[in-house]
Amino acid sequence: MTSSLTSAVEPLGVLDGARFRAGLDDGRSVWLDGEEIKNVAGHPAFAPPVAELSRLLDLQHDPAHRDLLTVEDPETGLRIGRGYHPPRTAEELRAARDSAEVWMRESWGQHGRSPAFMSSIAVGLLDFRHRLETNRPGFGANAQAYHRFAASRDLLLTHALGDPQIDRSASPVDHPDHALRVLREDSAGIVVRGAKQLTTLAPFAHEVLVYLSASFARRGAEEFVLWFALPLNAPGLRILCREPFGTEPHGHAHPFARRYDEQDAMLFFDDVTVPWDRVFLLGDGALAREGLGRINAWSQYIGQVRYRERLRTLLGVGSLLAESIGVDGFRNIQEDLGELAGYAQVLDHFLDAGEATAYRTDSGLLAPGPTPAAAVWAAQVAGRAVGIVRGIGQSGILMQPTENDLRSAELRPLLDRYMRGRGIDAAHKSRLFRLAWDLTADSFGQRQDLYEYVHRGDLARNRINLYRNHDLSAVRERIAALIDAPL
């Protein structure tokens, strides 16, 4: 059988912006507001994020960043993205973090699906290959081949995890359209039908990984458990995008939204064939539950790097807001900013803890120690972190002049008189407050806030798992001994 992972085009190693843009013209079916978009890279809603991703990819070829962001693959001799490199030593694990810090700093912590994040999931898939082989012979080899395929081409990946919100009280066994499922197996592969949400980066990625389906096994629906990879131009696959951010008219600047709106999408699989060499797991809920933590061992670590940078950005903007309106000396404002600074420092400790408790996996890689409490903590404080910045800027975040207002000869004297700040003119103050609006209050800011709450999984389930997995035996025995006799 011919492998779908081979191509007449040889692997090219580290991606750059030009190759990335050209690769989007691959016949993918992208839909926005009822229209199929034929030129993704050139469409006004998508061009600014594509340009920003291109800039970031070009950094891999910049001598100042090349050795930090890329590494030579000993198997192929190609330079590959550092995120795709399987770490085997403490130095290599720390290098993955250092590389991710460049990606996250350059994108101000706004890119949840940065190349550094998704490539680490491909490493996790590679690491779990021996267990996947127990599902069906060849699935483990598929995982290894897929990692090599993606790494050697420096593919931008996304993942499709959620199921349609139709009626989650019903079993997909009784309502098959409620979940993605396998219609049939044949010599070419599996044929799948259904939908997945919420696929961040889908219009801009090369490939999608589908793998979060273990919960179906608990509902007697093992046949809906499936893991696979697919190019986003696969026949029968449609990508429905939500409303884009940062493209509003009337001159209101949205500096983060325009550049870092990764897009979120529904994927519709209309009898799509997934070749056998792209299938990794079928019908085994227990293995899928085991694998979910394993393949995300590195991504949770890289995700903490990203969220720390977002917190630093919020802290920086919040402190500048306070200074610009003369409240930085107020005790309550300093207390709030100190709380936000503490959040950023907590991420440092979680990252250090992951490195300090790193362990050797059964495939010989070095994985950061699990810190599941970090996911719960981050979801709990995300809204508060945004609220601190809103609380400092208050009504000023709502009302600021645009660049056209500032250029108006009639308005400018009024703006300079009534809309300046302490030691800051109207132009700089308005840009600072509009940045705060973009971070915390406009459609992009609200999306980012919701993303922080939902993307780590169900908060209640994560808390329950923390409780169930916490070893209470020693303290319970001590308490039992204490109350065994009259107090």
Side-chain angles (χ1 to χ4, degrees):
M1 185 183 300
T2 302
S3 171
S4 70
L5 300 182
T6 59
S7 170
V9 178
E10 292 298 318
L12 298 174
V14 176
L15 195 63
D16 61 21
R19 264 178 57 208
F20 163 64
R21 290 190 300 273
L24 295 177
D25 186 20
D26 59 1
R28 62 187 58 203
S29 181
V30 177
W31 291 78
L32 176 64
D33 195 25
E35 175 190 3
E36 187 171 17
I37 307 301
K38 300 300 184 182
N39 179 12
V40 171
H43 191 278
F46 300 143
V50 168
E52 182 61 21
L53 281 166
S54 298
R55 182 187 74 82
L56 293 173
L57 291 166
D58 282 339
L59 291 179
Q60 298 184 116
H61 300 268
D62 183 339
H65 296 99
R66 179 176 179 266
D67 289 337
L68 189 58
L69 297 179
T70 71
V71 62
E72 185 175 304
D73 181 4
E75 291 187 17
T76 64
L78 292 170
R79 293 201 76 83
I80 62 173
R82 176 72 67 173
Y84 275 114
H85 182 65
R88 293 178 172 83
T89 66
E91 291 74 22
E92 289 179 337
L93 183 61
R94 184 55 192 248
R97 171 177 167 178
D98 293 342
S99 173
E101 286 176 344
V102 175
W103 289 105
M104 306 314 176
R105 185 176 64 251
E106 288 289 331
S107 56
W108 301 89
Q110 304 305 308
H111 266 169
R113 292 297 168 273
S114 76
F117 178 83
M118 286 304 304
S119 56
S120 71
I121 294 177
V123 170
L125 189 68
L126 170 71
D127 180 61
F128 198 56
R129 65 188 183 279
H130 301 303
R131 297 290 292 125
L132 294 173
E133 191 69 19
T134 67
N135 181 229
R136 290 196 193 181
F139 281 1
N142 289 352
Q144 183 172 11
Y146 186 77
H147 171 267
R148 185 181 303 115
F149 170 79
S152 62
R153 291 158 176 80
D154 200 22
L155 298 183
L156 266 66
L157 305 179
T158 183
H159 54 195
L161 305 181
D163 299 297
Q165 292 175 310
I166 301 172
D167 180 1
R168 293 187 172 178
S169 67
S171 169
V173 174
D174 300 320
H175 302 274
D177 285 338
H178 289 194
L180 183 68
R181 67 193 189 279
V182 178
L183 287 180
R184 63 181 181 274
E185 300 180 11
D186 57 31
S187 61
I190 59 174
V191 178
V192 299
R193 178 187 295 173
K196 278 287 185 181
Q197 67 177 46
L198 189 62
T199 311
T200 301
L201 202 73
F204 313 134
H206 298 106
E207 303 243 346
V208 59
L209 294 174
V210 175
Y211 58 86
L212 182 58
S213 51
S215 65
F216 292 134
R218 292 192 289 268
R219 291 184 272 167
E222 293 267 4
E223 64 267 32
F224 292 87
V225 177
L226 64 162
W227 289 17
F228 62 85
L230 198 67
L232 282 158
N233 66 342
L237 178 61
R238 292 180 179 86
I239 304 167
L240 175 64
C241 300
R242 58 147 168 79
E243 176 186 1
F245 302 142
T247 57
E248 292 88 343
H250 309 305
H252 290 275
H254 296 266
F256 282 164
R258 283 183 60 82
R259 295 167 63 187
Y260 304 119
D261 182 12
E262 301 172 291
Q263 259 297 335
D264 304 297
M266 285 286 295
L267 299 186
F268 301 115
F269 298 83
D270 189 12
D271 296 8
V272 176
T273 296
V274 182
W276 278 118
D277 61 350
R278 290 173 166 274
V279 181
F280 312 123
L281 187 152
L282 289 175
D284 189 337
L287 185 62
R289 284 193 296 274
E290 176 191 346
L292 184 61
R294 284 284 302 275
I295 71 171
N296 284 290
W298 291 271
S299 68
Q300 56 91 22
Y301 173 69
I302 300 303
Q304 290 168 13
V305 176
R306 198 270 315 163
Y307 188 48
R308 181 184 60 179
E309 195 61 39
R310 173 167 166 79
L311 288 172
R312 287 174 172 174
T313 300
L314 288 167
L315 176 58
V317 169
S319 66
L320 288 169
L321 290 179
E323 292 174 9
S324 75
I325 56 176
V327 300
D328 53 311
F330 292 9
R331 181 179 176 86
N332 64 310
I333 298 297
Q334 292 182 351
E335 182 183 3
D336 286 346
L337 288 171
E339 181 182 346
L340 195 49
Y343 293 163
Q345 289 185 23
V346 166
L347 262 300
D348 286 329
H349 298 316
F350 275 125
L351 285 163
D352 291 344
E355 293 172 6
T357 58
Y359 64 97
R360 187 74 54 190
T361 71
D362 58 9
S363 72
L365 302 188
L366 191 68
T371 53
V376 171
W377 171 84
Q380 290 174 170
V381 305
R384 172 60 181 159
V386 170
I388 288 173
V389 178
R390 287 199 198 112
I392 294 171
Q394 297 196 16
S395 61
I397 293 178
L398 293 173
M399 178 62 232
Q400 290 297 326
T402 69
E403 294 298 324
N404 287 332
D405 292 332
L406 290 164
R407 284 191 286 267
S408 167
E410 186 173 348
L411 287 176
R412 186 58 187 262
L414 298 172
L415 303 181
D416 284 336
R417 183 182 303 167
Y418 298 115
M419 301 194 78
R420 71 185 189 276
R422 185 189 66 177
I424 185 172
D425 63 22
H428 285 84
K429 182 189 173 188
S430 71
R431 290 167 191 157
L432 172 61
F433 273 76
R434 280 183 278 146
L435 188 64
W437 168 256
D438 209 23
L439 265 179
T440 68
D442 71 355
S443 53
F444 174 77
Q446 292 295 312
R447 183 267 177 196
Q448 299 296 83
D449 187 19
L450 181 60
Y451 171 88
E452 297 299 347
Y453 184 78
V454 303
H455 91 97
R456 298 172 182 87
D458 180 69
L459 179 57
R461 182 202 64 207
N462 290 342
R463 285 171 172 158
I464 291 168
N465 287 339
L466 275 180
Y467 170 64
R468 287 176 174 173
N469 296 326
H470 192 81
D471 185 1
L472 292 169
S473 57
V475 70
R476 285 167 62 96
E477 288 174 6
R478 292 178 62 218
I479 293 170
L482 179 66
I483 64 175
D484 194 44
L487 297 177

